[in-house]
């Protein structure tokens, strides 16, 4: 869940302290999530912020892939193959 305390004030404007990205590759039926701090991240550090979609759902309180069948969705969000994703870059 989003907490107002997770925002940083900049000239009176609330700015999120982090942001997420969820990527799904249809042809491989794979998904990955990232939760980045809202600051510059060096290319070699990107994988430090990688996680399963299920982990991101727990952190954010959001739910992804709600239009998928339940069994397919559960498999998709719980499994993340970092090696596969790194090889795809």
């Amino acid at each position: 869940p989003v907490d107002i305390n997770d925002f940083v004030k900049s000239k009176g404007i609330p700015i999120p302290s982090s942001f997420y990205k969820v990527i799904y590759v249809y042809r491989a039926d794979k998904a990955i999530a990232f939760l980045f701090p809202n600051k510059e991240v060096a290319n070699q550090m990107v994988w430090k912020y990688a996680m399963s979609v299920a982990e991101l759902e727990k952190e954010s309180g959001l739910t992804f892939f709600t239009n998928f069948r339940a069994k397919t969705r559960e498999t998709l969000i719980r499994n993340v193959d970092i090696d596969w994703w790194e090889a795809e870059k």
Side-chain angles (χ1 to χ4, degrees):
V2 176
D3 181 348
I4 194 66
N5 295 321
D6 288 339
F7 286 76
V8 178
K9 291 274 186 178
S10 176
K11 299 183 181 180
I13 300 170
I15 302 194
S17 57
S18 59
F19 68 96
Y20 69 87
K21 187 169 290 266
V22 175
I23 303 168
Y24 172 66
V25 176
Y26 176 78
R27 66 177 168 74
D29 199 32
K30 293 187 181 281
I32 192 168
F34 295 88
L35 183 60
F36 294 106
N38 197 358
K39 63 181 182 180
E40 187 174 342
V41 174
N43 287 347
Q44 65 270 23
M45 298 299 292
V46 167
W47 298 106
K48 175 183 175 186
Y49 302 101
M51 61 182 63
S52 70
V53 175
E55 290 173 291
L56 180 61
E57 288 183 342
K58 185 176 179 182
E59 287 284 323
S60 67
L62 300 171
T63 305
F64 300 94
F65 307 122
T66 57
N67 290 335
F68 283 65
R69 289 179 297 186
K71 186 175 181 179
T72 302
R73 181 186 175 283
E74 284 303 309
T75 301
L76 184 65
I77 70 167
R78 301 228 177 273
N79 299 313
V80 62
D81 182 355
I82 300 289
D83 292 335
W84 183 86
W85 285 95
E86 284 185 305
E88 286 298 300
K89 58 183 173 174

